[in-house]
Amino acid sequence: MTKLIFEKSSEHRSACDFPFVKEKNSIPKSLLKESNTSLGLPELSELEIIRHYVHLASLNFNIEKGLYPLGSCTMKYNPRINEDMAGLSGFSNLHPYAPQDLVQGALKLMYEVEQWLCELTGMSAVTLQPAAGAQGEFTGLKLIRAYHLDKGLKKTKILIPDSAHGTNPASSTLCGYDVQKVPSNSIGLLDIEQVSKVLDDDVAALMMTNPNTLGLFEENIVAIAKLLHQKNALLYCDGANFNALMGQAKLAEMGVDVLQFNLHKTFSTPHGGGGPGAGPVGVTEKLKPYLPLPRVIKEKDFYKLETQSQKSIGRLKGFYGNFGVLVRAYTYMRAMGQEGLKKVSQMAVLNANYIKHRLKDAYDLPYNDRPCMHEVIFSDKKQLKHSIKTLDIAKRLMDFGFHPPTVYFPLIVSGALMIEPTETESKEEIDRFCDAMIAIAKECESNPQKVHEAPHTTPVRRVDEVKAARNLILTYQNPTTR
Ligand SMILES: *Cc1c(COP(=O)(O)O)cnc(C)c1O
């Protein structure tokens, strides 16, 4: 068991000596020692601290260790140059209330991120404020509500396909709407007939994820948008899966009115662990007046923040959103260029189809053998015969050095394994992953017990996941009562 840093502490040990304490007018050494002890902070040498954290980091899995194929999460590699740019002192030391003529570069950067997102989707304007995809959804729904109220329309319902991400119904409910589920058809798509059956005057919008969470392109999008617009309802697109469409087709031209991006998925900025992200929201012309404030606007060559607008839904987040994430995304866009971004989605789709092709004999493909987009969904149907479930397969993959894919989602696939390789993986790494998946499928027949008891090589074996969620204990020992 790894010891806590508090348990490794040894009195009067320290990571640095302050040479200046010997000089006149400096902080007395006694004061430093005393405050350290009274605060109860651990006392270790520099090497001990480094070893402690390097060891902890090595217990965890990360994209630098190997393939991280979490479907819908787009766990791709974030180039280091993004971090370098975000770390430039001109960005990282900015005060959000600095006078606008001193921060022209930062305002220009935000303005240009908006321009790029508009260009890629055909939307008219974008707000960069939301801190995550889910907050982007919430913002988008607020915009839809403001639009309808402004027109004197009282709408109460949001239609959501049964394949949707859980945040869609959650955001709708949080926004005060009732949610109505729309079933997908036998080939995993939204059906025009099913939508028209439930579409009435109370419907404010339909939330579509395209490509959907089965990794399939919603082919009826244009017809569905038309149907909605006839009833004064809007089409919201959850753009978290934009990695499949980027540079290929513009969602606004398919009839999408509101769209959220996940910069921390598509635009190569860090995510995971609840860290800062960015979920910008794009809108068409008719929803522009309701966008949150402040907004970056350009007058001649001067960038400024617009803080007043009659119809705005107001502010969604402190200051201007997670600015550091925007710098990373901007760096990524500029480094890739338009052609590069186009190539990203082509390679992401190619990689997923390659995996589908390599694994389709070993694993069940629940939605026929149609070309997929950026991710492919298998199920555990074939392995169930040997009493092996999706969870067992996922755990066994860890022994092969891979992060498991997303499991048991989307909910409409029983025992789903949702694999998204992303474009940043080489063919060699993808082949290694497929070889491991095929080896596991064989093991399910030859040695199911081994799969069932996996993982065998990780620092922590199988945990009781229900107990872990219900009886959350964040330390195994209270350091202050030591
Ligand atoms: C990731 C994701 C979200 C939520 O985004 P967060 O940034 O985690 O809030 C919503 N919808 C889909 C389809 C997603 O994949």
Side-chain angles (χ1 to χ4, degrees):
M1 177 69 86
T2 303
K3 279 188 176 177
L4 298 181
I5 195 163
F6 289 93
E7 293 169 319
K8 291 181 180 170
S9 173
S10 173
E11 213 178 339
H12 300 313
R13 199 166 283 175
S14 78
C16 54
D17 279 325
F18 295 96
F20 55 84
V21 296
K22 295 187 193 93
E23 287 161 23
K24 262 200 297 183
N25 303 328
S26 64
I27 310 162
K29 202 163 188 165
S30 54
L31 203 65
L32 280 171
K33 283 287 177 199
E34 206 173 78
S35 58
N36 210 16
T37 313
S38 65
L39 285 174
L41 297 177
E43 296 173 86
L44 292 93
S45 73
E46 183 172 326
L47 180 58
E48 287 171 313
I49 295 171
I50 290 178
R51 283 200 179 136
H52 179 74
Y53 286 108
V54 167
H55 171 66
L56 285 184
S58 73
L59 295 178
N60 227 333
F61 194 88
N62 48 64
I63 190 81
E64 284 81 14
K65 262 194 185 171
L67 182 71
Y68 206 132
L70 273 184
S72 207
C73 293
T74 316
M75 302 299 288
K76 60 185 182 182
Y77 172 67
N78 304 320
R80 286 297 178 271
I81 180 94
N82 299 355
E83 294 303 317
D84 286 353
M85 295 303 109
L88 289 177
S89 66
F91 288 133
S92 61
N93 292 332
L94 276 187
H95 192 282
Y97 283 151
Q100 293 180 13
D101 52 351
L102 295 184
V103 292
Q104 282 295 295
L107 294 176
K108 181 179 179 188
L109 182 145
M110 291 197 282
Y111 185 84
E112 291 193 1
V113 170
E114 291 184 15
Q115 298 292 305
W116 274 80
L117 296 177
C118 286
E119 172 60 27
L120 286 165
T121 54
M123 306 309 283
S124 305
V126 168
T127 173
L128 301 173
Q129 267 187 38
Q135 203 191 12
E137 293 168 26
F138 180 71
T139 306
L141 290 160
K142 282 266 184 212
L143 293 168
I144 290 170
R145 161 151 285 177
Y147 169 78
H148 283 136
L149 286 179
D150 199 22
K151 287 187 139 239
L153 296 168
K154 275 221 171 95
K155 304 254 192 190
T156 55
K157 263 197 287 190
I158 302 286
L159 304 181
I160 301 181
D162 56 3
S163 60
H165 195 272
T167 49
N168 290 187
S171 304
S172 305
T173 305
L174 202 60
C175 211
Y177 286 110
D178 296 327
V179 171
Q180 180 150 5
K181 219 195 291 193
V182 189
S184 312
N185 64 18
S186 60
I187 53 168
L189 298 180
L190 253 185
D191 204 87
I192 304 170
E193 239 167 72
Q194 290 288 354
V195 174
S196 49
K197 236 191 241 172
V198 286
L199 182 60
D200 58 26
D201 289 328
D202 293 336
V203 173
L206 181 143
M207 290 182 96
M208 177 189 276
T209 305
N210 204 6
N212 66 22
T213 58
L214 292 166
L216 303 174
F217 185 76
E218 290 286 1
E219 291 167 8
N220 301 320
I221 181 167
V222 174
I224 289 172
K226 253 192 208 141
L227 271 184
L228 291 164
H229 292 153
Q230 280 164 9
K231 288 270 183 197
N232 270 320
L234 300 176
L235 178 57
Y236 180 101
C237 183
D238 181 331
N241 291 343
F242 192 52
N243 216 44
L245 287 187
M246 185 160 59
Q248 308 300 326
K250 297 192 178 184
L251 283 155
E253 289 172 9
M254 299 179 211
V256 171
D257 301 290
V258 188
L259 164 80
Q260 121 264 347
F261 303 85
N262 281 33
L263 296 190
H264 44 291
K265 291 181 183 169
T266 318
F267 294 94
S268 192
T269 72
H271 69 310
V281 176
V283 294
T284 50
E285 206 58 38
K286 63 183 176 221
L287 287 137
K288 214 168 146 181
Y290 311 100
L291 283 173
L293 291 174
R295 285 185 40 66
V296 187
I297 52 169
K298 187 180 178 187
E299 276 176 6
K300 296 216 173 85
D301 280 335
F302 191 75
Y303 297 89
K304 59 184 218 176
L305 289 166
E306 186 179 54
T307 52
Q308 304 272 324
S309 146
Q310 279 262 303
K311 296 185 170 176
S312 165
I313 59 167
R315 188 187 268 281
L316 261 296
K317 170 98 178 67
F319 305 119
Y320 321 115
N322 283 327
F323 180 69
V325 175
L326 306 177
V327 177
R328 290 171 174 88
Y330 182 71
T331 307
Y332 178 70
M333 292 168 177
R334 293 296 302 268
M336 299 300 286
Q338 289 236 20
E339 280 310 304
L341 294 180
K342 210 168 166 172
K343 192 103 195 244
V344 162
S345 49
Q346 288 169 349
M347 294 306 290
V349 171
L350 180 65
N351 285 352
N353 278 283
Y354 179 71
I355 291 180
K356 180 169 83 75
H357 181 76
R358 278 213 59 195
L359 298 185
K360 68 180 180 185
D361 293 331
Y363 293 90
D364 169 63
L365 266 175
Y367 279 90
N368 305 326
D369 193 0
R370 305 173 66 230
C372 62
M373 299 293 282
H374 63 304
E375 62 197 3
V376 54
I377 286 86
F378 293 99
S379 89
D380 59 5
K381 200 168 161 189
K382 288 189 182 175
Q383 286 68 38
L384 274 178
K385 278 181 266 166
H386 311 283
S387 299
I388 296 294
K389 296 194 191 106
T390 286
L391 187 70
D392 305 313
I393 299 163
K395 296 287 184 198
R396 184 70 179 124
L397 257 178
M398 295 161 84
D399 289 330
F400 286 83
F402 298 103
H403 195 284
T406 296
V407 293
Y408 299 107
F409 179 76
L411 302 175
I412 55 173
V413 173
S414 167
L417 283 149
M418 186 194 215
I419 303 170
E420 178 178 3
T422 83
E423 76 287 355
T424 57
E425 296 299 335
S426 65
K427 178 169 180 295
E428 290 78 9
E429 182 72 0
I430 293 175
D431 274 330
R432 264 188 357 98
F433 172 75
C434 291
D435 292 343
M437 285 292 285
I438 291 166
I440 294 170
K442 285 191 181 134
E443 250 177 20
C444 291
E445 296 168 16
S446 62
N447 192 356
Q449 194 62 17
K450 187 156 189 194
V451 183
H452 199 66
E453 286 169 4
H456 301 275
T457 57
T458 52
V460 177
R461 301 280 302 274
R462 264 197 212 206
V463 291
D464 182 334
E465 286 169 9
V466 176
K467 195 170 175 203
R470 296 224 172 125
N471 302 341
L472 200 62
I473 301 169
L474 293 177
T475 65
Y476 65 93
Q477 191 183 332
N478 184 348
T480 60
T481 58
R482 178 161 66 94

